[in-house]
Amino acid sequence: MKIDYILPTEIEHKSFEIITAELDSLGITIPEEEAPITKRVIHTSADFDYAKTMCYSQGAINLATELIKNGAHIVTDTNMALAGINKKKLASFGGQVHCFMADEDVAKEAKERQVTRATVSMERAAALPMPVIFAIGNAPTALISLYEMMEQGKFTPEFVIGVPVGFVNVEAAKELFLNSSVPHIINKGRKGGSNIAAAIVNALLYSL
């Protein structure tokens, strides 16, 4: 393998050129509107499986970007995702990023009720007074809790990015929203993660 000496400012551009070329060689065509998001996910993970497993509800990208432009806030289920989201870009539209998972009162309430912190965090998020885009990259229980609130008529999320990673309830939790009327971007299967959730949010932000 030879080393390519590339200017730092050109590395990302070169990476996307490689991704596009490899997708072409695999015979994979991503719909034009979805391509910037799916390619950024591949760029983050170096995993081309996402070209086949990323799922977008009808009009999802347009709706998500309109929410952002109108000041929607982002709620994540990890501080890692919060750290990875471009908060300055989001703030330029009036939005903020929240993660309640590490809050002491959330941990205390979760222990008392014998539920996960993700459950309590989603309840806190549902009480926010502005539209929220949920970016879930770790906890399937976050998706399950959101769905249960919907079923109980307590709360319906404006938009869900559902890419938790793992083995327990991960695929089933994603299926809840794949089969719902809630606008969403979901990755089928076990793969995902906080970095993937942040990458999707950033791709939406950069499209603006």
Side-chain angles (χ1 to χ4, degrees), residues 45-110:
S45 62
D47 189 340
F48 282 83
D49 283 352
Y50 285 102
K52 302 174 183 177
T53 56
M54 290 283 287
C55 300
Y56 300 79
S57 63
Q58 183 80 28
I61 296 168
N62 182 61
L63 178 55
T65 52
E66 284 300 312
L67 284 167
I68 291 169
K69 285 192 287 187
N70 288 310
H73 287 213
I74 310 290
V75 170
T76 79
D77 62 332
T78 65
N79 282 320
M80 180 179 174
L82 183 150
I85 291 170
N86 188 326
K87 290 171 281 296
K88 184 176 180 181
K89 181 76 170 176
L90 182 63
S92 71
F93 299 102
Q96 297 178 26
V97 188
H98 307 270
C99 180
F100 304 110
M101 293 288 283
D103 292 0
E104 288 186 13
D105 58 336
V106 167
K108 182 174 181 290
E109 182 177 341

Side-chain angles (χ1 to χ4, degrees), residues 14 40 43 52 65 77 90 95 105 108 111 120 136 138 154 157 178 190:
K14 179 65 175 177
R40 186 159 291 278
H43 177 258
K52 302 174 183 177
T65 52
D77 62 332
L90 182 63
D105 58 336
K108 182 174 181 290
K111 185 176 181 180
V120 179
I136 308 303
N138 184 67
K154 295 178 179 179
L178 281 170
R190 295 172 171 176

Side-chain angles (χ1 to χ4, degrees), residues 23-188:
L23 287 170
D24 289 344
S25 71
L26 293 168
I28 297 172
T29 301
I30 301 172
E32 184 178 355
E33 188 179 39
E34 300 170 7
I37 296 173
T38 299
K39 286 181 181 180
R40 186 159 291 278
V41 168
I42 294 169
H43 177 258
T44 297
S45 62
D47 189 340
F48 282 83
D49 283 352
Y50 285 102
K52 302 174 183 177
T53 56
M54 290 283 287
C55 300
Y56 300 79
S57 63
Q58 183 80 28
I61 296 168
N62 182 61
L63 178 55
T65 52
E66 284 300 312
L67 284 167
I68 291 169
K69 285 192 287 187
N70 288 310
H73 287 213
I74 310 290
V75 170
T76 79
D77 62 332
T78 65
N79 282 320
M80 180 179 174
L82 183 150
I85 291 170
N86 188 326
K87 290 171 281 296
K88 184 176 180 181
K89 181 76 170 176
L90 182 63
S92 71
F93 299 102
Q96 297 178 26
V97 188
H98 307 270
C99 180
F100 304 110
M101 293 288 283
D103 292 0
E104 288 186 13
D105 58 336
V106 167
K108 182 174 181 290
E109 182 177 341
K111 185 176 181 180
E112 289 172 351
R113 291 169 53 192
Q114 295 188 325
V115 297
T116 65
R117 286 181 295 163
T119 294
V120 179
S121 293
M122 294 303 103
E123 292 170 354
R124 298 288 172 92
L128 290 172
M130 69 288 292
V132 170
I133 295 173
F134 290 85
I136 308 303
N138 184 67
T141 50
L143 291 181
I144 294 167
S145 296
L146 287 173
Y147 188 80
E148 288 175 346
M149 283 191 278
M150 286 172 51
E151 289 288 280
Q152 295 162 8
K154 295 178 179 179
F155 174 73
T156 300
E158 300 267 358
F159 198 95
V160 169
I161 296 168
V163 289
V165 61
F167 301 94
V168 178
N169 290 328
V170 167
E171 293 175 274
K174 292 174 179 178
E175 289 292 333
L176 293 175
F177 282 94
L178 281 170
N179 297 320
S180 79
S181 60
V182 175
H184 59 260
I185 299 173
I186 304 281
N187 185 62
K188 284 185 177 180

